[in-house]
Every structure is written in structure tokens, then in C-alpha cells.
Amino acid sequence: NAGVMQNPRHLVRRRGQEARLRCSPMKGHSHVYWYRQLPEEGLKFMVYLQKENIIDESGMPKERFSAEFPKEGPSILRIQQVVRGDSAAYFCASSPSSGAFDTQYFGPGTRLTVL
Amino acid sequence: GENVEQHPSTLSVQEGDSAVIKCTYSDSASNYFPWYKQELGKRPQLIIDIRSNVGEKKDQRIAVTLNKTAKHFSLHITETQPEDSAVYFCAAQNTGNQFYFGTGTSLTVIP
């Protein structure tokens, strides 16, 4: 059973370009969480999705950022018109269901660098 | 919403000594508390967790305690080894299945 997959692992963009980050949850997991981590800082929640639904996007900036988790395919975190402050590691995590006590498992992260 | 505080932010111990990291949470309805270890440049890895109906859980050199009344939980690492050096994060899950993370503790085990 493969773990949580993320790609690309490293992404370099120039200011104003778009960044698309992909996350494939563990097999059997239908819940995906996205987090941002700045160097030497903690994990900041961005968005929580189930298949075809955004459950909680309270941690995601309202402009330029969007996320989806379609019925088929990976979850996508999309950042439009990137700025240098978007440079960070973006981790996704998945869990099997909406029940209590469901552990999150993290992917390896995508390190975004904005030039 | 939930607020998780974690202390200390950095911790250095001699190899073989114990390390204790403490977290507090604000939402009394939170019911699941995992701990993650993150090595430099790598993903957070779950190392131990505890549910709200349990006061203590142990797995070899690692233990976690939970005091629901005081709303705090702690990670205890005994007989520390250099490979325990990493950043440790606590988290609390609320009834909305949302996870709130502490700010992390950078643990250094000195050989």
C-alpha cells in the first residue's frame, strides 16, 4: 500500500506564474488536508477536502489560492500569480474517513521556490 | 477554534537522558492527540497518539500522557539517542475532524 504521494517534490516558479501541486492520498483514504510550512516553523493548516467537497478552507488565503479533490485523480492545490512569500514546503496528509481518531499520514511535501 | 501551544521550542539533552515536551489545548471537545517527528527536509511521521478516553500510552522508549481536566498532554522520550534529534509536533483533533498543530520542538540529543 503506497503512502501519500506528492508531486512535484520541488517546484521553481517566477513571480506571476502559476503553481500546481498534486497529492494522491493513501489507498482507501477519502480525506485530504493541505498544510504550509515555512523554514523552521510549524505546520499551518490551509484546507480540508473530501472527494468533490471542500470541508474547511479557513486557513487558505482567499485570493490566488484554490484547492480541489475531484472524484477521480489527485487533489490539487493551485496558487495563481505566485509571489516570493509563497515560497514554502507544502504538505498534504490523508486520512481514511471522517470518523474520530483517524490518523493523518503525510506526503513527502512539495518545496516551492518563487524567484 | 482550537489553539495548541507547545513548549519548549528548543530542547537539548545528553544522550541517555529523558526529554519531555508539553502541549496545551483550548477546546475541551478535542478528542485525539497525535505526535509527529520531522527530520530535516522530510515529512512529519506519526510516532505515537493518544485518544481522549486514555490517560497514558507507551511504546518502547516513547510515552504520551493526557490530562483532560487540565487540557494538556506530554511526550516523554526516555534513554534518548542521537537519532531522536528532530523537530516534534503535537496536534489536537477537534470534533470537526480538523487538526491543529503546535509550533514544534527542536530536540537535539548530544552524544
Side-chain angles (χ1 to χ4, degrees):
Chain A
N1 186 6
V4 181
M5 308 290 284
Q6 286 187 252
N7 69 82
R9 295 291 304 277
H10 300 274
L11 181 61
V12 179
R13 285 287 178 267
R14 296 192 180 278
R15 281 179 295 170
Q17 292 184 319
E18 178 181 287
R20 291 171 67 88
L21 288 60
R22 296 174 184 78
C23 170
S24 296
M26 288 179 69
K27 186 177 180 181
H29 286 194
S30 58
H31 296 249
V32 167
Y33 303 76
W34 284 94
Y35 296 89
R36 178 162 68 178
Q37 187 177 40
L38 294 170
E40 301 186 4
E41 292 192 9
L43 294 155
K44 298 295 185 184
F45 165 76
M46 297 182 73
V47 60
Y48 164 33
L49 310 104
Q50 297 176 23
K51 287 280 187 181
E52 299 184 280
N53 283 306
I54 296 175
I55 306 303
D56 184 345
E57 57 182 347
S58 59
M60 196 160 65
K62 291 194 178 354
E63 297 183 354
R64 302 191 297 108
F65 286 74
S66 62
E68 63 176 7
F69 189 14
K71 186 177 180 181
E72 302 290 339
S75 175
I76 306 286
L77 179 67
R78 182 181 178 202
I79 310 173
Q80 295 178 292
Q81 299 174 340
V82 295
V83 301
R84 289 209 173 122
D86 296 333
S87 295
Y90 291 83
F91 289 93
C92 80
S94 71
S95 66
S97 72
S98 61
F101 314 144
D102 275 330
T103 300
Q104 289 189 339
Y105 296 91
F106 282 84
T110 293
R111 280 152 186 82
L112 172 66
T113 301
V114 179
L115 301 177
Chain B
E2 175 66 277
N3 181 42
V4 177
E5 295 189 356
Q6 183 172 349
H7 300 280
S9 57
T10 59
L11 178 61
S12 292
V13 298
Q14 290 291 136
E15 182 177 358
D17 287 350
S18 295
V20 180
I21 302 170
K22 298 181 179 181
C23 288
T24 61
Y25 61 98
S26 60
D27 186 352
S28 57
S30 289
N31 52 22
Y32 173 61
F33 307 91
W35 285 88
Y36 289 86
K37 175 184 179 182
Q38 187 177 28
E39 297 176 354
L40 187 63
K42 298 193 176 180
R43 77 183 78 190
Q45 297 265 27
L46 179 74
I47 55 171
I48 196 167
D49 56 12
I50 192 166
R51 292 158 169 69
S52 58
N53 57 347
V54 175
E56 184 174 359
K57 182 177 178 180
K58 189 173 182 180
D59 182 4
Q60 298 182 335
R61 296 186 297 108
I62 295 174
V64 57
T65 58
L66 171 64
N67 183 327
K68 286 184 63 180
T69 302
K71 291 188 282 188
H72 67 70
F73 56 113
S74 301
L75 177 71
H76 304 252
I77 306 174
T78 58
E79 301 172 22
T80 53
Q81 302 167 2
E83 50 265 39
D84 293 331
S85 296
V87 178
Y88 292 81
F89 293 98
C90 63
Q93 183 189 34
N94 65 5
T95 53
N97 301 316
Q98 185 54 273
F99 285 83
Y100 296 86
F101 283 82
T103 49
T105 296
S106 179
L107 173 65
T108 301
V109 179
I110 304 166

